[in-house]
Amino acid sequence: MNHSERVTVLVGVTGGIAAYKSCELVRALIKRGYRVKVVMTEAATEFVTPLTFRTLTNEPVAVSLWEDDPSAPVHHISLADEADVCVIAPCTANVIAKIAHGRADDLLTTSVLATEAPIVIAPAMNVHMWRDEVTQSNVAALHARGVVFVEPAAGELACGDIGEGRLAPVEEIAAAVTVEAERARDLAGRTVLVTAGGTQEPIDPVRYIGNRSSGKTGFAIAAEAARRGARVTLVTGPTHLADPFEVEVVRIQTALEMHAAVMARVGEADAVVASAAVADFRPAETVSGKIKKDSIPEAITLVRNPDILAELGERDLGGVRIGFAAETSEVERHAREKLEAKRCHMVVANDVSDPALGFGTEANSVLFVTRAGVESSGVLLKRTIAREICDRLSRLLAGGHTA
Ligand SMILES: Cc1cc2nc3c(=O)[nH]c(=O)nc-3n(C[C@H](O)[C@H](O)[C@H](O)COP(=O)(O)O)c2cc1C
């Protein structure tokens, strides 16, 4: 991610007849104040020359992975890092397919795979290519991963066919880039505390009471908030997930440790996103040595753990408070109750009774419950849900808030 004053937009141009319209897009983006760098596929150079884009952008135009750019030791990585937003317009069926499958066999697709920046795709192709099931399933896969599509328009196509497939109007594509550019830095200057994962409450040195939370959603939120410029601390229960980039990670085991870690850091937070599944109770005593098979206790006495989110609400700590509710029935009603009882600004609720969604899976479908109403996310990858949560968090932070 580029941290200079000017937003850098990486424009990918691919081998479609609409490639000439990219020249107008580049001009529109420059007019909006962006620094624009163009990467072309080999096929795109059959339609427009790199010289045109070099002249328009006053920047070198890259085509090959193997070209020598003396200013960049590893060119695709430097392009990926520099980009605040990446837009591919026009995007061929071929490049959509390659990105959907993680292929990286030219400079453009390698840069796209390497970038953390939001990706906007404006497809343009023959109507039959666009409608083909394989293209549509590639589009759906990328959409679920958070890629923004500027849908092609309908009309007469260059090939003579009539139908959808024309590149969307240049201003529409530029507007989509602006939305992403603003989103890319909308949490800059904010401090966000995220909790994630499940806690483990020890019975003895080898056994514990735990839950099925994987931590994926909380990690995705922390990563997304950091990408968007926030200073992020992630307090997490045990999980195999790697630390997100640019996030301070505090690993704890028990609810009491999570309580202490949150309370020690919440003073600085503009927002708390409490996605951890904190155990409601713990064994009253932890046995110091491993309990042997022949001395199994008749019962384990449990005591209540502190309710971290309720305490933050009661003491009005942490700025904007977003809670999570994992329910198996009457999801919306429980979420509304939680919103009030814990004085949250939003509750993200999901039904964990569906084994295909929720705990440990890659996708989820949630309700965003606020005092203003309820919205459903539909089924999305957790990374995309994290983006939706950060969008709402950003709006709550910008608009002031009342619990
Ligand atoms: C005249 C001509 C026009 C083309 N227009 C398109 C198009 O609009 N969209 C598309 O997906 N492919 C189009 N193609 C096919 C692509 O150029 C071809 O799939 C190529 O491999 C794409 O390479 P790239 O995806 O690396 O840019 C066209 C080909 C020709 C010869």
Side-chain angles (χ1 to χ4, degrees):
M1 174 69 66
N2 164 44
H3 289 284
S4 72
E5 286 286 298
R6 264 174 97 203
V7 170
T8 297
V9 180
L10 185 66
V11 176
V13 184
T14 68
I17 198 73
Y20 73 95
K21 295 185 186 167
S22 303
C23 304
E24 284 302 326
L25 175 64
V26 164
R27 282 166 56 95
L29 293 172
I30 291 171
K31 238 184 177 167
R32 285 175 184 239
Y34 302 133
R35 171 174 172 248
V36 175
K37 294 202 81 165
V38 173
V39 175
M40 304 176 76
T41 62
E42 288 283 355
T45 64
E46 297 287 335
F47 295 87
V48 192
T49 66
L51 176 66
T52 308
F53 290 113
R54 200 173 73 210
T55 311
L56 289 173
T57 60
N58 208 16
E59 297 273 355
V61 172
V63 178
S64 167
L65 270 170
W66 317 112
E67 266 164 30
D68 237 5
D69 178 348
S71 64
V74 187
H75 201 186
H76 61 278
I77 302 298
S78 67
L79 285 167
D81 283 348
E82 271 180 284
D84 292 294
V85 181
C86 180
V87 55
I88 309 174
C91 191
T92 54
N94 177 51
V95 165
I96 290 174
K98 286 208 279 188
I99 299 173
H101 293 86
R103 284 196 65 176
D105 61 358
D106 60 18
L107 185 60
L108 176 61
T109 50
T110 308
S111 303
V112 166
L113 191 59
T115 194
E116 285 285 298
I119 297 166
V120 177
I121 288 183
M125 65 196 72
N126 166 275
V127 61
H128 302 294
M129 289 170 83
W130 173 247
R131 285 192 192 169
D132 194 285
E133 268 175 34
V134 75
T135 301
Q136 287 303 313
S137 84
N138 289 335
V139 168
L142 289 173
H143 178 72
R145 295 217 305 261
V147 171
V148 173
F149 278 86
V150 187
E151 295 279 318
E156 190 179 340
L157 305 176
C159 55
D161 280 349
I162 304 229
E164 61 280 9
R166 287 166 67 90
L167 185 72
V170 161
E171 272 308 315
E172 209 178 299
I173 303 169
V177 170
T178 296
V179 168
E180 293 310 311
E182 282 168 7
R183 177 153 49 191
R185 304 300 302 158
D186 64 353
L187 295 176
R190 305 290 193 177
T191 300
V192 179
L193 181 61
V194 181
T195 71
T199 60
Q200 295 179 349
E201 310 299 323
I203 297 168
D204 69 12
V206 293
R207 304 179 181 91
Y208 60 82
I209 298 173
N211 62 64
R212 295 179 53 209
S213 170
S214 67
K216 280 183 184 159
T217 299
F219 273 61
I221 294 165
E224 174 74 10
R227 263 196 298 273
R228 289 159 74 156
R231 201 158 68 93
V232 182
T233 302
L234 173 64
V235 181
T236 177
T239 148
H240 64 281
L241 301 170
D243 291 2
F245 295 111
E246 314 271 342
V247 170
E248 183 204 357
V249 181
V250 181
R251 292 188 183 264
I252 53 84
Q253 187 193 359
T254 66
L256 289 177
E257 288 167 5
M258 179 162 283
H259 178 266
V262 168
M263 292 306 160
R265 290 164 179 83
V266 74
E268 293 171 26
D270 297 303
V272 176
V273 184
S275 75
V278 183
D280 294 317
F281 38 75
R282 66 181 184 277
E285 280 172 49
T286 302
V287 179
S288 59
K290 181 182 171 189
I291 302 169
K292 291 302 200 190
K293 223 184 270 186
D294 50 10
S295 56
I296 298 174
E298 294 249 314
I300 296 175
T301 306
L302 300 173
V303 292
R304 198 172 283 284
N305 274 327
D307 185 331
I308 300 170
L309 190 56
E311 188 176 329
L312 296 179
E314 247 162 57
R315 296 170 56 191
D316 198 12
L317 293 171
V320 170
R321 288 179 295 275
I322 298 180
F324 278 67
E327 306 290 349
T328 50
S329 65
E330 295 192 74
V331 178
E332 187 178 328
R333 185 170 69 77
H334 288 301
R336 283 187 182 286
E337 283 168 8
K338 193 163 188 173
L339 187 75
E340 295 309 329
K342 307 205 176 179
R343 297 183 67 204
C344 292
H345 301 88
M346 180 168 83
V347 168
V348 182
N350 69 319
D351 184 345
V352 289
S353 61
D354 182 345
L357 299 171
F359 288 138
T361 62
E362 293 305 324
N364 209 348
S365 169
V366 301
L367 296 179
F368 302 106
V369 181
T370 63
R371 285 174 190 82
V374 179
E375 287 173 274
S376 169
S377 68
V379 177
L380 293 173
L381 289 189
K382 286 181 177 172
R383 178 174 170 172
T384 315
I385 289 190
R387 193 179 66 179
E388 293 275 331
I389 290 168
C390 287
D391 286 354
R392 286 164 173 80
L393 170 60
S394 168
R395 289 202 289 272
L396 285 164
L397 283 164
H401 49 81
T402 45

mmCIF file of all heavy atoms in Angstrom, residues 13-18 41-44 47 90-95 98 106 124-126 129 165, ligand 1:
data_model
loop_
_atom_site.group_PDB
_atom_site.id
_atom_site.type_symbol
_atom_site.label_atom_id
_atom_site.label_comp_id
_atom_site.label_asym_id
_atom_site.label_seq_id
_atom_site.Cartn_x
_atom_site.Cartn_y
_atom_site.Cartn_z
ATOM 1 N N VAL A 13 -4.749 -2.847 -18.623
ATOM 2 C CA VAL A 13 -5.423 -2.803 -19.926
ATOM 3 C C VAL A 13 -5.205 -4.155 -20.593
ATOM 4 O O VAL A 13 -4.057 -4.626 -20.677
ATOM 5 C CB VAL A 13 -4.856 -1.675 -20.818
ATOM 6 C CG1 VAL A 13 -5.637 -1.597 -22.133
ATOM 7 C CG2 VAL A 13 -4.912 -0.335 -20.089
ATOM 8 N N THR A 14 -6.288 -4.791 -21.036
ATOM 9 C CA THR A 14 -6.166 -6.132 -21.624
ATOM 10 C C THR A 14 -6.617 -6.100 -23.084
ATOM 11 O O THR A 14 -7.110 -5.075 -23.572
ATOM 12 C CB THR A 14 -6.969 -7.165 -20.807
ATOM 13 O OG1 THR A 14 -8.358 -6.880 -20.957
ATOM 14 C CG2 THR A 14 -6.597 -7.130 -19.336
ATOM 15 N N GLY A 15 -6.468 -7.255 -23.737
ATOM 16 C CA GLY A 15 -6.598 -7.311 -25.189
ATOM 17 C C GLY A 15 -8.001 -7.385 -25.727
ATOM 18 O O GLY A 15 -8.415 -8.388 -26.303
ATOM 19 N N GLY A 16 -8.746 -6.314 -25.554
ATOM 20 C CA GLY A 16 -10.095 -6.227 -26.123
ATOM 21 C C GLY A 16 -10.206 -5.002 -27.002
ATOM 22 O O GLY A 16 -9.406 -4.061 -26.883
ATOM 23 N N ILE A 17 -11.211 -5.026 -27.846
ATOM 24 C CA ILE A 17 -11.387 -3.927 -28.781
ATOM 25 C C ILE A 17 -11.629 -2.599 -28.049
ATOM 26 O O ILE A 17 -11.320 -1.523 -28.552
ATOM 27 C CB ILE A 17 -12.537 -4.268 -29.778
ATOM 28 C CG1 ILE A 17 -12.467 -3.393 -31.017
ATOM 29 C CG2 ILE A 17 -13.880 -4.189 -29.132
ATOM 30 C CD1 ILE A 17 -11.339 -3.779 -31.930
ATOM 31 N N ALA A 18 -12.148 -2.700 -26.807
ATOM 32 C CA ALA A 18 -12.422 -1.472 -26.042
ATOM 33 C C ALA A 18 -11.158 -0.874 -25.413
ATOM 34 O O ALA A 18 -11.245 0.119 -24.688
ATOM 35 C CB ALA A 18 -13.453 -1.755 -24.950
ATOM 36 N N THR A 41 -1.429 -6.015 -20.992
ATOM 37 C CA THR A 41 -1.072 -7.370 -21.423
ATOM 38 C C THR A 41 -0.463 -7.263 -22.818
ATOM 39 O O THR A 41 -0.643 -6.252 -23.512
ATOM 40 C CB THR A 41 -2.312 -8.296 -21.468
ATOM 41 O OG1 THR A 41 -3.227 -7.770 -22.437
ATOM 42 C CG2 THR A 41 -2.977 -8.400 -20.110
ATOM 43 N N GLU A 42 0.230 -8.328 -23.220
ATOM 44 C CA GLU A 42 0.799 -8.354 -24.585
ATOM 45 C C GLU A 42 -0.313 -8.119 -25.605
ATOM 46 O O GLU A 42 -0.143 -7.360 -26.572
ATOM 47 C CB GLU A 42 1.446 -9.727 -24.865
ATOM 48 C CG GLU A 42 2.740 -9.981 -24.116
ATOM 49 C CD GLU A 42 3.934 -9.258 -24.732
ATOM 50 O OE1 GLU A 42 3.771 -8.638 -25.799
ATOM 51 O OE2 GLU A 42 5.025 -9.307 -24.134
ATOM 52 N N ALA A 43 -1.457 -8.785 -25.380
ATOM 53 C CA ALA A 43 -2.561 -8.663 -26.346
ATOM 54 C C ALA A 43 -3.057 -7.228 -26.430
ATOM 55 O O ALA A 43 -3.431 -6.759 -27.516
ATOM 56 C CB ALA A 43 -3.694 -9.609 -25.963
ATOM 57 N N ALA A 44 -3.047 -6.512 -25.306
ATOM 58 C CA ALA A 44 -3.541 -5.130 -25.310
ATOM 59 C C ALA A 44 -2.708 -4.253 -26.232
ATOM 60 O O ALA A 44 -3.229 -3.315 -26.856
ATOM 61 C CB ALA A 44 -3.536 -4.565 -23.884
ATOM 62 N N PHE A 47 -3.790 -3.482 -29.657
ATOM 63 C CA PHE A 47 -4.910 -2.547 -29.855
ATOM 64 C C PHE A 47 -4.503 -1.087 -29.627
ATOM 65 O O PHE A 47 -4.961 -0.198 -30.322
ATOM 66 C CB PHE A 47 -6.064 -2.912 -28.909
ATOM 67 C CG PHE A 47 -6.673 -4.248 -29.197
ATOM 68 C CD1 PHE A 47 -6.146 -5.413 -28.638
ATOM 69 C CD2 PHE A 47 -7.769 -4.369 -30.045
ATOM 70 C CE1 PHE A 47 -6.701 -6.655 -28.910
ATOM 71 C CE2 PHE A 47 -8.330 -5.611 -30.328
ATOM 72 C CZ PHE A 47 -7.797 -6.757 -29.760
ATOM 73 N N PRO A 90 -10.409 -2.236 -20.344
ATOM 74 C CA PRO A 90 -11.369 -3.325 -20.326
ATOM 75 C C PRO A 90 -10.701 -4.591 -19.807
ATOM 76 O O PRO A 90 -9.486 -4.753 -19.925
ATOM 77 C CB PRO A 90 -11.722 -3.487 -21.812
ATOM 78 C CG PRO A 90 -10.468 -3.093 -22.528
ATOM 79 C CD PRO A 90 -9.863 -1.993 -21.695
ATOM 80 N N CYS A 91 -11.518 -5.475 -19.238
ATOM 81 C CA CYS A 91 -10.979 -6.755 -18.784
ATOM 82 C C CYS A 91 -11.539 -7.864 -19.666
ATOM 83 O O CYS A 91 -12.760 -7.986 -19.826
ATOM 84 C CB CYS A 91 -11.342 -6.991 -17.315
ATOM 85 S SG CYS A 91 -10.440 -8.378 -16.615
ATOM 86 N N THR A 92 -10.638 -8.633 -20.251
ATOM 87 C CA THR A 92 -11.067 -9.742 -21.128
ATOM 88 C C THR A 92 -11.614 -10.899 -20.295
ATOM 89 O O THR A 92 -11.319 -11.027 -19.093
ATOM 90 C CB THR A 92 -9.869 -10.272 -21.937
ATOM 91 O OG1 THR A 92 -8.822 -10.595 -21.007
ATOM 92 C CG2 THR A 92 -9.387 -9.281 -22.954
ATOM 93 N N ALA A 93 -12.325 -11.785 -20.992
ATOM 94 C CA ALA A 93 -12.783 -13.037 -20.367
ATOM 95 C C ALA A 93 -11.564 -13.811 -19.864
ATOM 96 O O ALA A 93 -11.592 -14.422 -18.789
ATOM 97 C CB ALA A 93 -13.550 -13.856 -21.393
ATOM 98 N N ASN A 94 -10.504 -13.751 -20.641
ATOM 99 C CA ASN A 94 -9.283 -14.477 -20.295
ATOM 100 C C ASN A 94 -8.686 -14.000 -18.971
ATOM 101 O O ASN A 94 -8.346 -14.804 -18.095
ATOM 102 C CB ASN A 94 -8.283 -14.291 -21.449
ATOM 103 C CG ASN A 94 -6.949 -14.937 -21.175
ATOM 104 O OD1 ASN A 94 -6.892 -16.102 -20.808
ATOM 105 N ND2 ASN A 94 -5.875 -14.180 -21.338
ATOM 106 N N VAL A 95 -8.573 -12.695 -18.788
ATOM 107 C CA VAL A 95 -7.964 -12.180 -17.546
ATOM 108 C C VAL A 95 -8.899 -12.418 -16.355
ATOM 109 O O VAL A 95 -8.436 -12.730 -15.249
ATOM 110 C CB VAL A 95 -7.542 -10.699 -17.711
ATOM 111 C CG1 VAL A 95 -7.256 -10.051 -16.364
ATOM 112 C CG2 VAL A 95 -6.296 -10.627 -18.593
ATOM 113 N N LYS A 98 -8.215 -15.928 -15.444
ATOM 114 C CA LYS A 98 -6.898 -16.115 -14.822
ATOM 115 C C LYS A 98 -6.908 -15.631 -13.367
ATOM 116 O O LYS A 98 -6.409 -16.313 -12.475
ATOM 117 C CB LYS A 98 -5.824 -15.370 -15.625
ATOM 118 C CG LYS A 98 -5.497 -16.070 -16.934
ATOM 119 C CD LYS A 98 -4.073 -15.805 -17.397
ATOM 120 C CE LYS A 98 -3.914 -14.494 -18.077
ATOM 121 N NZ LYS A 98 -2.588 -14.324 -18.698
ATOM 122 N N ASP A 106 1.679 -13.305 -16.357
ATOM 123 C CA ASP A 106 2.159 -12.088 -17.019
ATOM 124 C C ASP A 106 2.217 -10.990 -15.953
ATOM 125 O O ASP A 106 1.852 -11.213 -14.787
ATOM 126 C CB ASP A 106 1.275 -11.699 -18.222
ATOM 127 C CG ASP A 106 -0.170 -11.432 -17.844
ATOM 128 O OD1 ASP A 106 -0.445 -11.203 -16.638
ATOM 129 O OD2 ASP A 106 -1.032 -11.439 -18.731
ATOM 130 N N ALA A 124 -15.335 -6.335 -20.727
ATOM 131 C CA ALA A 124 -15.854 -5.992 -22.057
ATOM 132 C C ALA A 124 -15.575 -7.167 -22.962
ATOM 133 O O ALA A 124 -14.430 -7.634 -23.039
ATOM 134 C CB ALA A 124 -15.175 -4.737 -22.592
ATOM 135 N N MET A 125 -16.617 -7.651 -23.578
ATOM 136 C CA MET A 125 -16.438 -8.820 -24.468
ATOM 137 C C MET A 125 -17.723 -9.063 -25.248
ATOM 138 O O MET A 125 -18.755 -8.428 -24.979
ATOM 139 C CB MET A 125 -16.057 -10.059 -23.649
ATOM 140 C CG MET A 125 -17.125 -10.538 -22.695
ATOM 141 S SD MET A 125 -16.507 -11.677 -21.443
ATOM 142 C CE MET A 125 -15.549 -10.606 -20.385
ATOM 143 N N ASN A 126 -17.640 -9.993 -26.143
ATOM 144 C CA ASN A 126 -18.800 -10.444 -26.899
ATOM 145 C C ASN A 126 -19.859 -10.989 -25.928
ATOM 146 O O ASN A 126 -19.530 -11.598 -24.914
ATOM 147 C CB ASN A 126 -18.295 -11.537 -27.858
ATOM 148 C CG ASN A 126 -19.410 -12.322 -28.459
ATOM 149 O OD1 ASN A 126 -19.883 -13.272 -27.866
ATOM 150 N ND2 ASN A 126 -19.833 -11.917 -29.639
ATOM 151 N N MET A 129 -19.564 -14.614 -24.937
ATOM 152 C CA MET A 129 -18.450 -14.836 -23.999
ATOM 153 C C MET A 129 -18.872 -14.400 -22.598
ATOM 154 O O MET A 129 -18.582 -15.058 -21.601
ATOM 155 C CB MET A 129 -17.212 -14.030 -24.420
ATOM 156 C CG MET A 129 -16.528 -14.537 -25.668
ATOM 157 S SD MET A 129 -15.279 -13.362 -26.235
ATOM 158 C CE MET A 129 -13.873 -13.778 -25.220
ATOM 159 N N GLY A 165 -22.100 -6.501 -22.920
ATOM 160 C CA GLY A 165 -20.701 -6.830 -23.207
ATOM 161 C C GLY A 165 -19.886 -5.589 -23.503
ATOM 162 O O GLY A 165 -18.659 -5.639 -23.522
HETATM 163 C C1 LIG B 1 -10.077 -7.993 -32.799
HETATM 164 C C2 LIG B 1 -10.170 -8.709 -31.493
HETATM 165 C C3 LIG B 1 -10.999 -8.214 -30.530
HETATM 166 C C4 LIG B 1 -11.113 -8.869 -29.290
HETATM 167 N N1 LIG B 1 -11.948 -8.359 -28.364
HETATM 168 C C5 LIG B 1 -12.069 -8.994 -27.177
HETATM 169 C C6 LIG B 1 -12.920 -8.460 -26.169
HETATM 170 O O1 LIG B 1 -13.531 -7.417 -26.329
HETATM 171 N N2 LIG B 1 -13.019 -9.133 -25.012
HETATM 172 C C7 LIG B 1 -12.351 -10.302 -24.779
HETATM 173 O O2 LIG B 1 -12.524 -10.866 -23.690
HETATM 174 N N3 LIG B 1 -11.516 -10.809 -25.710
HETATM 175 C C8 LIG B 1 -11.366 -10.190 -26.888
HETATM 176 N N4 LIG B 1 -10.528 -10.717 -27.839
HETATM 177 C C9 LIG B 1 -9.808 -11.937 -27.538
HETATM 178 C C10 LIG B 1 -8.585 -11.645 -26.690
HETATM 179 O O3 LIG B 1 -7.749 -10.711 -27.342
HETATM 180 C C11 LIG B 1 -7.815 -12.939 -26.427
HETATM 181 O O4 LIG B 1 -8.592 -13.772 -25.590
HETATM 182 C C12 LIG B 1 -6.448 -12.676 -25.808
HETATM 183 O O5 LIG B 1 -5.839 -13.913 -25.496
HETATM 184 C C13 LIG B 1 -6.590 -11.864 -24.529
HETATM 185 O O6 LIG B 1 -5.345 -11.657 -23.936
HETATM 186 P P1 LIG B 1 -5.253 -10.918 -22.537
HETATM 187 O O7 LIG B 1 -6.416 -11.411 -21.761
HETATM 188 O O8 LIG B 1 -3.954 -11.364 -21.966
HETATM 189 O O9 LIG B 1 -5.277 -9.462 -22.779
HETATM 190 C C14 LIG B 1 -10.390 -10.058 -29.069
HETATM 191 C C15 LIG B 1 -9.529 -10.528 -30.049
HETATM 192 C C16 LIG B 1 -9.422 -9.876 -31.257
HETATM 193 C C17 LIG B 1 -8.477 -10.417 -32.293
#
